[in-house]
PDB file of all heavy atoms in Angstrom:
ATOM      1  N   GLN A 285     117.379 104.291 123.179  1.00 98.00           N
ATOM      2  CA  GLN A 285     118.094 103.188 123.235  1.00 98.00           C
ATOM      3  C   GLN A 285     117.350 101.841 123.332  1.00 98.00           C
ATOM      4  O   GLN A 285     117.965 100.790 123.546  1.00 98.00           O
ATOM      5  CB  GLN A 285     119.069 103.290 124.440  1.00 98.00           C
ATOM      6  CG  GLN A 285     120.301 104.175 124.135  1.00 98.00           C
ATOM      7  CD  GLN A 285     121.172 103.692 123.004  1.00 98.00           C
ATOM      8  OE1 GLN A 285     121.700 102.496 123.111  1.00 98.00           O
ATOM      9  NE2 GLN A 285     121.469 104.511 122.056  1.00 98.00           N
ATOM     10  N   GLY A 286     116.069 101.900 123.198  1.00 97.00           N
ATOM     11  CA  GLY A 286     115.233 100.740 123.386  1.00 97.00           C
ATOM     12  C   GLY A 286     115.614  99.533 122.444  1.00 97.00           C
ATOM     13  O   GLY A 286     115.989  98.457 122.809  1.00 97.00           O
ATOM     14  N   VAL A 287     115.703  99.884 121.096  1.00 98.00           N
ATOM     15  CA  VAL A 287     116.037  98.849 120.097  1.00 98.00           C
ATOM     16  C   VAL A 287     117.465  98.491 120.320  1.00 98.00           C
ATOM     17  O   VAL A 287     117.892  97.321 120.260  1.00 98.00           O
ATOM     18  CB  VAL A 287     115.778  99.448 118.742  1.00 98.00           C
ATOM     19  CG1 VAL A 287     116.381  98.495 117.630  1.00 98.00           C
ATOM     20  CG2 VAL A 287     114.297  99.492 118.438  1.00 98.00           C
ATOM     21  N   ALA A 288     118.343  99.477 120.431  1.00 98.00           N
ATOM     22  CA  ALA A 288     119.772  99.271 120.641  1.00 98.00           C
ATOM     23  C   ALA A 288     120.143  98.205 121.731  1.00 98.00           C
ATOM     24  O   ALA A 288     120.822  97.194 121.624  1.00 98.00           O
ATOM     25  CB  ALA A 288     120.538 100.473 120.837  1.00 98.00           C
ATOM     26  N   MET A 289     119.538  98.490 122.937  1.00 98.00           N
ATOM     27  CA  MET A 289     119.793  97.644 124.087  1.00 98.00           C
ATOM     28  C   MET A 289     119.130  96.210 123.764  1.00 98.00           C
ATOM     29  O   MET A 289     119.724  95.231 124.234  1.00 98.00           O
ATOM     30  CB  MET A 289     119.198  98.312 125.390  1.00 98.00           C
ATOM     31  CG  MET A 289     119.983  99.504 125.848  1.00 98.00           C
ATOM     32  SD  MET A 289     121.697  99.263 126.254  1.00 98.00           S
ATOM     33  CE  MET A 289     122.506  99.970 124.727  1.00 98.00           C
ATOM     34  N   SER A 290     117.992  96.173 123.225  1.00 98.00           N
ATOM     35  CA  SER A 290     117.337  94.869 122.991  1.00 98.00           C
ATOM     36  C   SER A 290     118.251  94.006 121.969  1.00 98.00           C
ATOM     37  O   SER A 290     118.456  92.790 122.205  1.00 98.00           O
ATOM     38  CB  SER A 290     115.924  95.095 122.335  1.00 98.00           C
ATOM     39  OG  SER A 290     115.092  95.697 123.311  1.00 98.00           O
ATOM     40  N   VAL A 291     118.676  94.652 120.916  1.00 98.00           N
ATOM     41  CA  VAL A 291     119.479  93.880 119.848  1.00 98.00           C
ATOM     42  C   VAL A 291     120.877  93.567 120.456  1.00 98.00           C
ATOM     43  O   VAL A 291     121.424  92.426 120.265  1.00 98.00           O
ATOM     44  CB  VAL A 291     119.618  94.608 118.579  1.00 98.00           C
ATOM     45  CG1 VAL A 291     120.348  93.772 117.591  1.00 98.00           C
ATOM     46  CG2 VAL A 291     118.160  94.855 118.079  1.00 98.00           C
ATOM     47  N   GLU A 292     121.444  94.481 121.242  1.00 98.00           N
ATOM     48  CA  GLU A 292     122.734  94.151 121.841  1.00 98.00           C
ATOM     49  C   GLU A 292     122.568  92.961 122.821  1.00 98.00           C
ATOM     50  O   GLU A 292     123.354  92.002 122.858  1.00 98.00           O
ATOM     51  CB  GLU A 292     123.296  95.288 122.576  1.00 98.00           C
ATOM     52  CG  GLU A 292     123.922  96.485 121.666  1.00 98.00           C
ATOM     53  CD  GLU A 292     124.556  97.639 122.465  1.00 98.00           C
ATOM     54  OE1 GLU A 292     124.573  97.554 123.694  1.00 98.00           O
ATOM     55  OE2 GLU A 292     124.883  98.527 121.847  1.00 98.00           O
ATOM     56  N   ASP A 293     121.484  92.925 123.564  1.00 98.00           N
ATOM     57  CA  ASP A 293     121.218  91.873 124.508  1.00 98.00           C
ATOM     58  C   ASP A 293     121.138  90.627 123.641  1.00 98.00           C
ATOM     59  O   ASP A 293     121.728  89.554 124.043  1.00 98.00           O
ATOM     60  CB  ASP A 293     119.805  92.082 125.139  1.00 98.00           C
ATOM     61  CG  ASP A 293     119.633  93.090 126.272  1.00 98.00           C
ATOM     62  OD1 ASP A 293     120.743  93.582 126.657  1.00 98.00           O
ATOM     63  OD2 ASP A 293     118.594  93.332 126.795  1.00 98.00           O
ATOM     64  N   ALA A 294     120.409  90.582 122.604  1.00 98.00           N
ATOM     65  CA  ALA A 294     120.312  89.422 121.777  1.00 98.00           C
ATOM     66  C   ALA A 294     121.723  88.763 121.335  1.00 98.00           C
ATOM     67  O   ALA A 294     121.992  87.725 121.469  1.00 98.00           O
ATOM     68  CB  ALA A 294     119.399  89.599 120.653  1.00 98.00           C
ATOM     69  N   LEU A 295     122.547  89.733 120.835  1.00 98.00           N
ATOM     70  CA  LEU A 295     123.804  89.309 120.255  1.00 98.00           C
ATOM     71  C   LEU A 295     124.723  88.750 121.405  1.00 98.00           C
ATOM     72  O   LEU A 295     125.421  87.750 121.310  1.00 98.00           O
ATOM     73  CB  LEU A 295     124.493  90.505 119.638  1.00 98.00           C
ATOM     74  CG  LEU A 295     123.871  91.091 118.393  1.00 98.00           C
ATOM     75  CD1 LEU A 295     124.381  92.333 117.890  1.00 98.00           C
ATOM     76  CD2 LEU A 295     124.078  90.044 117.217  1.00 98.00           C
ATOM     77  N   VAL A 296     124.762  89.455 122.608  1.00 98.00           N
ATOM     78  CA  VAL A 296     125.518  88.996 123.687  1.00 98.00           C
ATOM     79  C   VAL A 296     124.985  87.782 124.270  1.00 98.00           C
ATOM     80  O   VAL A 296     125.851  86.884 124.662  1.00 98.00           O
ATOM     81  CB  VAL A 296     125.651  90.163 124.772  1.00 98.00           C
ATOM     82  CG1 VAL A 296     126.320  89.660 126.003  1.00 98.00           C
ATOM     83  CG2 VAL A 296     126.394  91.328 124.122  1.00 98.00           C
ATOM     84  N   LEU A 297     123.717  87.590 124.293  1.00 98.00           N
ATOM     85  CA  LEU A 297     123.148  86.327 124.845  1.00 98.00           C
ATOM     86  C   LEU A 297     123.523  85.100 124.045  1.00 98.00           C
ATOM     87  O   LEU A 297     123.876  84.091 124.414  1.00 98.00           O
ATOM     88  CB  LEU A 297     121.596  86.435 124.934  1.00 98.00           C
ATOM     89  CG  LEU A 297     120.833  85.201 125.448  1.00 98.00           C
ATOM     90  CD1 LEU A 297     121.292  84.905 126.961  1.00 98.00           C
ATOM     91  CD2 LEU A 297     119.454  85.364 125.387  1.00 98.00           C
ATOM     92  N   ALA A 298     123.429  85.316 122.657  1.00 98.00           N
ATOM     93  CA  ALA A 298     123.758  84.228 121.776  1.00 98.00           C
ATOM     94  C   ALA A 298     125.239  83.914 121.906  1.00 98.00           C
ATOM     95  O   ALA A 298     125.640  82.727 121.851  1.00 98.00           O
ATOM     96  CB  ALA A 298     123.410  84.727 120.357  1.00 98.00           C
ATOM     97  N   GLU A 299     126.084  84.914 122.117  1.00 97.00           N
ATOM     98  CA  GLU A 299     127.536  84.748 122.225  1.00 97.00           C
ATOM     99  C   GLU A 299     127.823  83.833 123.564  1.00 97.00           C
ATOM    100  O   GLU A 299     128.530  82.932 123.627  1.00 97.00           O
ATOM    101  CB  GLU A 299     128.195  86.045 122.328  1.00 97.00           C
ATOM    102  CG  GLU A 299     129.786  85.776 122.490  1.00 97.00           C
ATOM    103  CD  GLU A 299     130.502  87.122 122.576  1.00 97.00           C
ATOM    104  OE1 GLU A 299     129.965  88.126 122.004  1.00 97.00           O
ATOM    105  OE2 GLU A 299     131.629  87.254 123.090  1.00 97.00           O
ATOM    106  N   SER A 300     127.044  84.260 124.639  1.00 97.00           N
ATOM    107  CA  SER A 300     127.196  83.555 125.899  1.00 97.00           C
ATOM    108  C   SER A 300     126.815  82.166 125.870  1.00 97.00           C
ATOM    109  O   SER A 300     127.411  81.345 126.441  1.00 97.00           O
ATOM    110  CB  SER A 300     126.443  84.382 126.970  1.00 97.00           C
ATOM    111  OG  SER A 300     126.881  85.848 127.121  1.00 97.00           O
ATOM    112  N   LEU A 301     125.557  81.856 125.271  1.00 97.00           N
ATOM    113  CA  LEU A 301     125.055  80.503 125.293  1.00 97.00           C
ATOM    114  C   LEU A 301     125.657  79.600 124.142  1.00 97.00           C
ATOM    115  O   LEU A 301     125.496  78.450 124.149  1.00 97.00           O
ATOM    116  CB  LEU A 301     123.472  80.517 125.063  1.00 97.00           C
ATOM    117  CG  LEU A 301     122.710  81.135 126.203  1.00 97.00           C
ATOM    118  CD1 LEU A 301     121.249  81.289 125.785  1.00 97.00           C
ATOM    119  CD2 LEU A 301     122.953  80.410 127.507  1.00 97.00           C
ATOM    120  N   GLY A 302     126.301  80.272 123.236  1.00 89.00           N
ATOM    121  CA  GLY A 302     126.932  79.481 122.177  1.00 89.00           C
ATOM    122  C   GLY A 302     128.324  78.739 122.513  1.00 89.00           C
ATOM    123  O   GLY A 302     128.874  78.034 121.789  1.00 89.00           O
ATOM    124  N   GLY A 303     128.867  79.106 123.713  1.00 83.00           N
ATOM    125  CA  GLY A 303     130.037  78.578 124.155  1.00 83.00           C
ATOM    126  C   GLY A 303     129.869  77.361 125.050  1.00 83.00           C
ATOM    127  O   GLY A 303     128.783  77.018 125.426  1.00 83.00           O
ATOM    128  N   PRO A 304     130.990  76.804 125.507  1.00 85.00           N
ATOM    129  CA  PRO A 304     130.851  75.658 126.550  1.00 85.00           C
ATOM    130  C   PRO A 304     130.572  76.218 127.903  1.00 85.00           C
ATOM    131  O   PRO A 304     130.744  77.382 128.299  1.00 85.00           O
ATOM    132  CB  PRO A 304     132.307  75.179 126.551  1.00 85.00           C
ATOM    133  CG  PRO A 304     133.115  76.292 126.182  1.00 85.00           C
ATOM    134  CD  PRO A 304     132.340  77.143 125.208  1.00 85.00           C
ATOM    135  N   GLY A 305     130.098  75.349 128.756  1.00 89.00           N
ATOM    136  CA  GLY A 305     129.930  75.675 130.181  1.00 89.00           C
ATOM    137  C   GLY A 305     128.521  75.376 130.698  1.00 89.00           C
ATOM    138  O   GLY A 305     127.729  74.974 129.979  1.00 89.00           O
ATOM    139  N   GLU A 306     128.401  75.433 132.064  1.00 95.00           N
ATOM    140  CA  GLU A 306     126.988  75.297 132.630  1.00 95.00           C
ATOM    141  C   GLU A 306     126.051  76.441 132.231  1.00 95.00           C
ATOM    142  O   GLU A 306     126.500  77.642 132.250  1.00 95.00           O
ATOM    143  CB  GLU A 306     127.063  75.156 134.049  1.00 95.00           C
ATOM    144  CG  GLU A 306     128.010  73.952 134.502  1.00 95.00           C
ATOM    145  CD  GLU A 306     127.292  72.574 134.180  1.00 95.00           C
ATOM    146  OE1 GLU A 306     125.997  72.496 134.159  1.00 95.00           O
ATOM    147  OE2 GLU A 306     127.884  71.645 133.809  1.00 95.00           O
ATOM    148  N   VAL A 307     124.808  76.198 131.958  1.00 96.00           N
ATOM    149  CA  VAL A 307     123.769  77.175 131.668  1.00 96.00           C
ATOM    150  C   VAL A 307     123.845  78.226 132.696  1.00 96.00           C
ATOM    151  O   VAL A 307     123.695  79.452 132.402  1.00 96.00           O
ATOM    152  CB  VAL A 307     122.497  76.550 131.497  1.00 96.00           C
ATOM    153  CG1 VAL A 307     121.416  77.686 131.442  1.00 96.00           C
ATOM    154  CG2 VAL A 307     122.334  75.721 130.235  1.00 96.00           C
ATOM    155  N   GLU A 308     123.814  77.841 133.949  1.00 96.00           N
ATOM    156  CA  GLU A 308     123.649  78.936 134.973  1.00 96.00           C
ATOM    157  C   GLU A 308     124.850  79.901 135.029  1.00 96.00           C
ATOM    158  O   GLU A 308     124.637  81.071 135.099  1.00 96.00           O
ATOM    159  CB  GLU A 308     123.524  78.379 136.344  1.00 96.00           C
ATOM    160  CG  GLU A 308     123.268  79.234 137.460  1.00 96.00           C
ATOM    161  CD  GLU A 308     122.871  78.614 138.755  1.00 96.00           C
ATOM    162  OE1 GLU A 308     122.805  77.346 138.845  1.00 96.00           O
ATOM    163  OE2 GLU A 308     122.679  79.355 139.841  1.00 96.00           O
ATOM    164  N   HIS A 309     125.988  79.335 134.750  1.00 96.00           N
ATOM    165  CA  HIS A 309     127.163  80.167 134.654  1.00 96.00           C
ATOM    166  C   HIS A 309     127.152  81.087 133.389  1.00 96.00           C
ATOM    167  O   HIS A 309     127.562  82.261 133.391  1.00 96.00           O
ATOM    168  CB  HIS A 309     128.537  79.378 134.704  1.00 96.00           C
ATOM    169  CG  HIS A 309     128.680  78.616 135.923  1.00 96.00           C
ATOM    170  ND1 HIS A 309     129.326  77.472 135.950  1.00 96.00           N
ATOM    171  CD2 HIS A 309     128.196  78.847 137.218  1.00 96.00           C
ATOM    172  CE1 HIS A 309     129.253  76.979 137.305  1.00 96.00           C
ATOM    173  NE2 HIS A 309     128.554  77.849 137.931  1.00 96.00           N
ATOM    174  N   MET A 310     126.682  80.532 132.272  1.00 97.00           N
ATOM    175  CA  MET A 310     126.583  81.395 131.095  1.00 97.00           C
ATOM    176  C   MET A 310     125.601  82.590 131.320  1.00 97.00           C
ATOM    177  O   MET A 310     125.854  83.672 130.830  1.00 97.00           O
ATOM    178  CB  MET A 310     125.949  80.549 129.911  1.00 97.00           C
ATOM    179  CG  MET A 310     126.922  79.367 129.495  1.00 97.00           C
ATOM    180  SD  MET A 310     126.004  78.393 128.200  1.00 97.00           S
ATOM    181  CE  MET A 310     127.237  77.099 127.802  1.00 97.00           C
ATOM    182  N   LEU A 311     124.420  82.340 131.878  1.00 98.00           N
ATOM    183  CA  LEU A 311     123.453  83.417 132.163  1.00 98.00           C
ATOM    184  C   LEU A 311     124.075  84.384 133.184  1.00 98.00           C
ATOM    185  O   LEU A 311     123.763  85.541 133.073  1.00 98.00           O
ATOM    186  CB  LEU A 311     122.204  82.690 132.628  1.00 98.00           C
ATOM    187  CG  LEU A 311     121.446  81.848 131.597  1.00 98.00           C
ATOM    188  CD1 LEU A 311     120.080  81.438 132.135  1.00 98.00           C
ATOM    189  CD2 LEU A 311     121.163  82.529 130.308  1.00 98.00           C
ATOM    190  N   ALA A 312     124.794  83.869 134.130  1.00 97.00           N
ATOM    191  CA  ALA A 312     125.489  84.760 135.020  1.00 97.00           C
ATOM    192  C   ALA A 312     126.467  85.751 134.406  1.00 97.00           C
ATOM    193  O   ALA A 312     126.441  86.993 134.725  1.00 97.00           O
ATOM    194  CB  ALA A 312     126.088  84.033 136.179  1.00 97.00           C
TER     195      ALA A 312
END
Side-chain angles (χ1 to χ4, degrees):
Q285 284 293 309
V287 169
M289 291 299 102
S290 293
V291 181
E292 287 183 5
D293 283 355
L295 293 169
V296 174
L297 180 64
E299 182 182 335
S300 300
L301 292 178
E306 296 294 326
V307 166
E308 186 170 358
H309 295 156
M310 293 176 185
L311 296 183

